[in-house]
Amino acid sequence: GEVLPGVLLFANYAQGFRAPTPMQVNNYFENLAFGYSSAPNPDLGPERSTSWEAGLRYFDDNAKLSLAVFRADYDDFIDQQVVGGSFTPSDPAIYQFVNLDDVQVEGIEAKSSYAFEGGITLRAAAAYATGDVIDPTGGKLPLASIDPFELVAGIGWTAPDGGAGVELSAIYNARKSLDETTGTCAAECFRPDSFTVLDLTAFYNVTDALKLRAGVFNIFDESYAYWSDVRGLAATSTITEAYTRPGRNASVSLSFAF
């Protein structure tokens, strides 16, 4: 409920059930050149969860802010794991969706934006989560599939009539902590360095139905990779460059709405 003008406190509690998707059950793929494959799992079962969330929201004519903390407890958590192989063409790593008996995930998320006169807007969003896989004896191993801390921020301008706009945005991604990868790799895992990527995007409404969009992405040609792309790759691997995202690139698109 609202406790001060513009300030709203909230809390949610939920129980969930999620059946595996056909892709998670039947997925099969091989890329031997890069040393990995994926295998189906016909025994994959449904996932059940209990979760809660609490936080606050603030808003006025120009500003918006939200902050939330959450925790979820899962039974038979569906997760993609490296179940074999060593990321080589002769012994490709095998990815497979499996059920993890007992999993706990908790984290915090924050979002904010501020609109200035003249059409300029600032925005930012950050998220951090951590998780544990709990064995029947109470022992814990980190849930390595959780991405590290990420921060997204941007500054943009939109014309008063909404017919054109431009935004410069930045994405910061932290390096995965070593102690959060325990048990994921036979030895030490490859953990990409932290990175910051800048993108510049713009749009122009040629007509009410025709919109032109353009962008330059990874402006400073950063060489970077996400943890989710390399999870399970050993620190001694010689093919880490194969998992990096594109360097500087650009795109232009034209869309028509009926």
Side-chain angles (χ1 to χ4, degrees), residues 1 5 77 82-83 91 96 99 115 125 132 134 139 147 153 156 162 168 171 202 205-206 216 230 233:
F77 182 78
V82 178
V83 297
D91 184 28
Q96 187 180 55
N99 289 115
D132 292 303
I134 304 171
D147 289 327
L168 178 66
I171 301 172
N205 293 336
V206 182
V216 180
V230 304
L233 200 61

Side-chain angles (χ1 to χ4, degrees), residues 1 25 27 34-35 82 84 95 103 107 112 136 138 147-148 159 163 169 181 184 192 210-211 217 220 243:
V25 174
N27 183 40
F34 291 114
V82 178
Y95 288 93
V103 169
S112 65
D147 289 327
S169 60
T181 64
T184 307
L210 195 63
K211 177 175 286 189
F217 306 95
F220 293 112
Y243 294 85

Side-chain angles (χ1 to χ4, degrees), residues 46 88 140 154 224 244 252:
T88 64
K140 294 182 178 181
Y224 69 100
T244 56
V252 177

Side-chain angles (χ1 to χ4, degrees), residues 9-247:
L9 297 179
F10 67 91
N12 296 308
Y13 173 81
Q15 291 183 322
F17 174 91
R18 183 168 71 99
T21 66
M23 187 277 291
Q24 291 171 333
V25 174
N26 302 310
N27 183 40
Y28 177 77
F29 178 77
E30 278 189 342
N31 189 338
L32 299 183
F34 291 114
Y36 69 91
S37 65
S38 60
N41 183 0
D43 296 323
L44 191 65
E47 170 187 289
R48 295 172 175 81
S49 64
T50 300
S51 63
W52 60 264
E53 177 188 30
L56 62 85
R57 297 187 181 101
Y58 169 79
F59 60 92
D60 61 22
D61 291 341
N62 301 99
K64 294 180 181 178
L65 172 67
S66 67
L67 179 67
V69 294
F70 62 88
R71 172 170 170 166
D73 296 291
Y74 297 88
D75 292 322
D76 296 323
F77 182 78
I78 298 173
D79 194 37
Q80 190 177 43
Q81 299 272 316
V82 178
V83 297
S86 57
F87 287 91
T88 64
S90 60
D91 184 28
I94 302 172
Y95 288 93
Q96 187 180 55
F97 286 95
V98 299
N99 289 115
L100 303 178
D101 290 339
D102 188 1
V103 169
Q104 291 180 349
V105 177
E106 54 191 14
I108 183 170
E109 296 178 342
K111 295 180 181 180
S112 65
S113 65
Y114 191 88
F116 296 89
E117 293 185 6
I120 295 176
T121 301
L122 296 177
R123 66 178 180 90
Y128 173 77
T130 185
D132 292 303
V133 181
I134 304 171
D135 65 33
T137 66
K140 294 182 178 181
L141 281 176
L143 181 63
S145 57
I146 293 180
D147 289 327
F149 172 77
E150 183 174 76
L151 171 66
V152 179
I155 179 170
W157 170 82
T158 303
D161 63 357
V166 62
E167 183 180 54
L168 178 66
S169 60
I171 301 172
Y172 169 78
N173 201 270
R175 192 182 193 194
K176 186 72 171 178
S177 299
L178 181 61
D179 60 3
E180 293 182 349
T181 64
T182 303
T184 307
C185 305
E188 184 177 334
C189 290
F190 170 65
R191 297 175 297 120
D193 291 334
S194 62
F195 63 82
T196 302
V197 175
L198 293 180
D199 299 331
L200 181 65
T201 57
F203 75 89
Y204 174 69
N205 293 336
V206 182
T207 68
D208 289 342
L210 195 63
K211 177 175 286 189
L212 177 68
R213 294 183 178 88
V216 180
F217 306 95
N218 193 3
I219 293 173
F220 293 112
D221 201 26
E222 178 90 1
S223 178
Y224 69 100
Y226 283 96
W227 166 250
S228 57
D229 292 337
V230 304
R231 182 166 50 90
L233 200 61
T236 55
S237 173
T238 59
I239 58 171
T240 56
E241 288 296 319
Y243 294 85
T244 56
R245 291 297 180 99

